Amino acid sequence: MNLAASLAQVDGGWRPLLDAWRASPAGQQLQAFLTERAAAGATIYPPEPFRALRLTPLAQTRVLILGQDPYHGAGQAEGLAFSVPEGVAPPPSLRNLFKELQRDLGQQPPMSPSLSAWAERGVLLLNSCLTVEEGAPASHAKRGWEALTDALVQAVAQESAPKVFMLWGAYAQAKAGLIAAAGPQHLILQANHPSPLSALRPPVPFIGCGHFSLAADWLAQQGRAISWAL
């Protein structure tokens, strides 16, 4: 994991936010923590924490899907929420995402486990924490990442072009206020998390939510059409 190298590749539209965060107490605390953990021999994923900001420029963002934590297994996290690299077996939440794509839009497997094609079309696949240690979920939570990712969510919402925000699970839904405060021009879609623990449960099961078709239809009406093909 190389934080400096990953920062250097970020699209310029995100740069003012990143520079302000790096200079802030939260940013300095997080950078010191990462340096300390790396020196202690911790294995930190993903190798490119800011990949979502490289692949999806602020000005081109049409959809924001908010995750919580990168995958903590070897070879899984690739800097995009819910996504894993080609050749890696899809984790359970991603398998349920594919089930809903098939149910909602008729997409047939095999589908790529990497969602990088979405990112390149304007789907910002943002985790609230951008790093994690091997085998230790949420190990980098409340260390300073959230100050940055909350600011990124607000920045996307404050851009005047209409966007879709997909908030799956209670953690993501807690950010709805950041989006609503920016104005009524966006579509906020909320459902349970695609995890097997909640994907089929009330109040809004992920399987059956129809978010992909709802987003595609709404964006087409705004003149900002997007494809969910993988």
Side-chain angles (χ1 to χ4, degrees):
M1 192 277 299
N2 189 323
L3 194 68
S6 185
L7 273 167
Q9 298 181 55
V10 167
D11 177 77
W14 302 111
R15 182 67 57 186
L17 283 167
L18 287 165
D19 288 345
W21 169 78
R22 289 183 74 188
S24 72
Q28 291 178 0
Q29 173 189 324
L30 187 280
Q31 291 169 85
F33 171 73
L34 291 175
T35 299
E36 174 189 316
R37 295 304 300 142
T43 299
I44 300 173
Y45 301 130
E48 188 185 345
F50 297 106
R51 187 167 182 238
L53 304 183
R54 173 170 67 83
L55 294 183
T56 312
L58 175 58
Q60 295 177 22
T61 300
R62 288 171 167 78
V63 179
L64 190 153
I65 296 177
L66 186 63
Q68 185 168 350
D69 214 29
Y71 295 120
H72 54 85
Q76 290 184 310
E78 64 167 353
L80 303 172
F82 295 101
S83 180
V84 297
E86 295 286 355
V88 175
S93 292
L94 184 55
R95 290 200 300 269
N96 279 334
L97 189 153
F98 290 161
K99 286 180 183 178
E100 179 58 14
L101 275 174
Q102 187 172 1
R103 189 209 64 80
D104 189 18
L105 298 177
Q107 284 197 43
Q108 298 298 313
M111 301 179 206
S112 170
S114 175
L115 306 181
S116 58
W118 287 1
E120 291 167 351
R121 294 181 206 136
V123 181
L124 181 62
L125 298 161
L126 183 68
N127 279 318
S128 290
C129 291
L130 300 187
T131 56
V132 71
E133 292 181 23
E134 184 173 27
S139 48
H140 290 187
K142 299 180 181 178
R143 294 288 185 172
W145 279 127
E146 293 87 350
L148 172 62
T149 54
D150 281 0
L152 294 172
V153 171
Q154 287 179 302
V156 174
Q158 287 166 359
E159 287 278 301
S160 59
K163 301 170 190 69
V164 178
F165 292 81
M166 294 182 171
L167 307 180
W168 300 332
Y171 186 91
Q173 289 163 15
K175 309 295 182 180
L178 298 176
I179 303 158
Q185 70 270 32
H186 306 304
L187 177 63
I188 302 175
L189 299 175
Q190 303 186 58
N192 288 4
H193 194 276
S195 162
L197 296 174
S198 59
L200 293 171
R201 293 183 178 177
V204 185
F206 177 78
I207 302 297
C209 69
H211 282 184
F212 299 109
S213 60
L214 287 169
D217 292 346
W218 188 84
L219 285 167
Q221 293 170 14
Q222 312 303 316
R224 309 197 80 205
I226 196 162
S227 168
W228 293 111
L230 287 171

